[in-house]
Amino acid sequence: MESIEVVTKNYKETKKLGEKLAKEIAISHKRALIISLEGELGAGKTTFTQGFAKGLGIKETPKSPTFVIMRIYKLNKSNRSDKIVEFENFIHIDAYRIASKDLKSLGWNELVSGPQNIILIEWGDRVKSLLPKNALRIIFEHGHSGSRLIKTIQ
Ligand code: ADP
Ligand code: MG
């Protein structure tokens, strides 16, 4: 994927960006896809994730999974948009309160090696040593008057 650097003016634009990237990335990608979302509290990671899920055709709206750590959404025929045929699961993780060993005990190694998984992990920088080398990192920064700077690092 091309690198991006975008300023969003409000939460709707951040959500739209997630939706757009989900479609672009998931269609062009053929293997397990790991995306680390990084930035302070309130920077827009969950908002982006909600748009991303929508872009994949998921009907539910992901909430911040801080208290459950991980949620798995099945991309079955009924909730998957037509073009995304390679993937079976959309997995949303929040690493805010966990350490690498906790993530490992959640089965991280199996999840990241499954070619059928798309994983968005909020606070991925907190478990950096477990991120695969080819993980896409998206950084969220607060800007002036409700804006956010959102950029990729590869
Ligand atoms: P995080 O998951 O990074 O902690 P959230 O997405 O949960 O952040 O929260 C972002 C908050 O900031 C929401 O309340 C949202 O409405 C607000 N907000 C304001 N401007 C923006 C913007 N440009 N992009 C994303 N969220 C924004
Ligand atoms: Mg969040």
Side-chain angles (χ1 to χ4, degrees):
M1 199 194 90
E2 280 174 55
S3 55
I4 58 154
E5 184 161 336
V6 178
V7 174
T8 63
K9 292 200 241 19
N10 51 49
Y11 83 93
K12 282 187 183 161
E13 288 189 8
T14 297
K15 210 171 154 180
K16 276 277 169 220
L17 179 67
E19 191 177 340
K20 177 169 164 265
L21 289 187
K23 289 179 177 151
E24 282 179 21
I25 292 174
I27 288 169
S28 61
H29 218 271
K30 295 280 180 275
R31 281 173 299 138
L33 175 58
I34 320 301
I35 305 178
S36 168
L37 306 180
E38 306 175 15
E40 333 178 328
L41 215 55
K45 303 180 294 299
T46 301
T47 304
F48 177 92
T49 302
Q50 291 171 344
F52 199 95
K54 189 172 176 210
L56 295 180
I58 293 168
K59 299 282 183 287
E60 296 153 87
T61 302
K63 307 250 168 31
S64 178
T66 296
F67 298 103
V68 293
I69 302 172
M70 173 165 79
R71 283 213 55 189
I72 301 180
Y73 301 84
K74 280 266 164 234
L75 297 174
N76 53 38
K77 286 207 174 65
S78 60
N79 66 3
R80 181 177 63 191
S81 61
D82 291 345
K83 293 193 179 125
I84 300 164
V85 291
E86 312 290 340
F87 296 104
E88 288 172 23
N89 302 306
F90 170 59
I91 301 172
H92 182 201
I93 298 174
D94 193 322
Y96 185 54
R97 286 191 171 75
I98 61 175
S100 298
K101 65 172 173 34
D102 305 316
L103 194 56
K104 273 192 167 170
S105 61
L106 283 172
W108 174 255
N109 291 338
E110 291 72 37
L111 295 176
V112 290
S113 56
Q116 71 280 20
N117 295 330
I118 300 178
I119 304 176
L120 255 61
I121 176 163
E122 297 191 38
W123 299 101
D125 47 324
R126 297 197 172 201
V127 290
K128 212 177 246 163
S129 62
L130 292 183
L131 294 179
K133 285 222 166 49
N134 63 355
L136 173 65
R137 297 172 60 197
I138 307 182
I139 315 300
F140 295 75
E141 290 171 8
H142 285 270
H144 292 293
S145 41
S147 71
R148 302 288 190 274
L149 174 65
I150 302 171
K151 60 186 177 195
T152 52
I153 305 183
Q154 207 124 30

